[in-house]
Amino acid sequence: MGPTASGKTDLAVAVVDALAPMLPCEIVSVDSALVYRGLDIGTAKPSPALRARYPHRLVDICDPAEAYSAARFRADALAAIAQIRARGALPLLVGGTMLYFRALLRGLSPLPEADPALRERLAREATARGPAGMHGWLADVDPAAAARIHPNDPQRVQRALEVYLASGRPMSSLWQVGDGGLDLPTVKLVRSPRERAVLHRRIETRFDAMLAAGFLDEVRGLMRRGDLAPELPAMRAVGYRQAWAHLAGALDAAAMRARALAATRQLAKRQYTWLRSEPDCTWLWDEVAPLAEALAILRRRVGLGA
């Protein structure tokens, strides 16, 4: 696990190589953007060459016009884990979508079904209040959810309000009571630089590399399809939302870059919030030889030889 741009994939493939003589590993992606076909550059999706050498489950499994949920991820991940274990291999879950990790490890709590009338009411409220007003409303009734949901993510803000209004309970309280967790021994490793400023520099360097690699052309191609819109979950991924606005004429290039970087830093902040609340994690900082530390922990916990 770890925040965006922290080096999770590099560590994962190094672990696979190091353990190969003793125990084969297979990677299962835990990333809500990598599931989408055609979202390659802006998601920092592992290259086809890397995935040919280190296959990744749950990458490129749905179209950007589809919605992909934590419940669907949980079902897909459990199936992948079962298949990997049946071959005598070790599942290595790698990613930064903390809600997906929690859904897998702790199970999902029952949430109220969608209510069309309530959603229509919330849509009217959103028109009247605007994004800041809706997020402020959520902060009043469910501060924990508001801290984890960005004000510019209206779908998640409205869903959290919908859950509260339908159940009378904050959605954050329901996150804590999931059942049907993963009944397997689990080792939790968090890859991260110790200094937040280091991560911010990596985020900036990576985004500029994405732009140089043709990220805007990728988004132009998605826009030309004609069946996608900025409100879709895939197009709300960090970077894509800002690139879409730029290509639609709503932002100049400098503002697009600044907003994309700010949104990515906000994502990292939310990821840190989740990670700090996750029990039994070992943090692998830059200065502690992350691969050696990860292997030492796995040898102790998984029972591998030296």
Side-chain angles (χ1 to χ4, degrees):
M1 302 183 284
T4 186
S6 62
K8 298 181 294 294
T9 297
D10 289 346
L11 178 60
V13 298
V15 167
V16 172
D17 280 339
L19 293 184
M22 297 169 283
L23 179 65
C25 292
E26 295 188 30
I27 293 173
V28 180
S29 171
V30 187
D31 189 296
S32 60
L34 295 190
V35 299
Y36 292 110
R37 293 184 290 272
L39 274 67
D40 301 327
I41 298 172
T43 60
K45 186 177 291 179
S47 69
L50 187 142
R51 282 186 282 140
R53 183 175 177 185
Y54 306 95
H56 284 55
R57 302 291 194 98
L58 309 191
V59 172
D60 288 347
I61 59 172
C62 61
D63 186 85
E66 298 178 62
Y68 191 80
S69 66
R72 182 173 167 188
F73 165 77
R74 176 175 166 77
D76 289 344
L78 288 173
I81 289 168
Q83 292 164 7
I84 292 167
R85 295 182 71 236
R87 288 200 293 273
L90 180 70
L92 184 58
L93 292 110
V94 182
T97 300
M98 303 306 154
L99 180 61
Y100 285 10
F101 272 117
R102 190 156 293 185
L104 178 63
L105 294 171
R106 301 187 185 180
L108 290 166
S109 55
L111 296 178
E113 295 291 330
D115 182 334
L118 183 53
R119 288 199 168 178
E120 184 177 344
R121 173 194 163 189
L122 287 168
R124 292 195 301 269
E125 291 281 356
T127 300
R129 297 181 185 227
M134 294 295 281
H135 194 265
W137 183 11
L138 179 60
D140 289 339
V141 300
D142 191 350
R148 291 175 174 171
I149 301 175
H150 194 275
N152 293 331
D153 192 345
Q155 184 176 14
R156 291 183 66 207
V157 169
Q158 290 186 44
R159 176 57 176 156
L161 287 167
E162 179 186 5
V163 169
Y164 172 75
L165 293 172
S167 69
R169 298 178 60 189
M171 188 164 75
S172 59
S173 71
L174 298 176
W175 287 336
Q176 309 302 320
V177 296
D179 55 13
L182 187 64
D183 188 24
L184 291 170
T186 305
V187 179
K188 300 178 189 176
L189 305 175
V190 179
R191 179 71 180 97
S192 174
R194 192 180 295 274
E195 300 297 328
R196 197 72 58 93
V198 172
L199 184 69
H200 290 176
R201 288 195 294 272
R202 290 183 188 173
I203 287 170
E204 184 171 359
T205 299
R206 185 179 70 172
F207 188 71
D208 287 340
M210 290 173 178
L211 291 173
F215 176 44
L216 292 179
D217 288 335
E218 178 175 281
V219 179
R220 283 190 189 95
L222 293 166
M223 295 174 76
R224 281 197 295 267
R225 284 182 36 155
D227 63 338
L228 302 178
E231 296 79 19
L232 287 170
M235 295 298 97
R236 293 201 316 273
V238 168
Y240 287 86
R241 182 171 56 226
Q242 294 78 20
W244 188 294
H246 167 58
L247 295 173
L251 295 174
D252 64 25
M256 178 273 296
R257 179 180 181 275
R259 291 194 185 185
L261 291 174
T264 310
R265 290 191 294 267
Q266 292 264 1
L267 170 62
K269 183 179 179 181
R270 295 194 300 275
Q271 289 169 318
Y272 277 121
T273 298
W274 279 94
L275 287 164
R276 283 194 297 267
S277 68
E278 187 64 32
D280 303 321
C281 290
T282 300
W283 288 69
L284 304 175
W285 309 110
D286 287 354
E287 69 273 16
V288 299
L291 175 60
E293 181 69 12
L295 293 174
I297 293 167
L298 289 171
R299 285 173 180 136
R300 289 196 302 269
R301 298 280 298 277
V302 183
L304 301 176

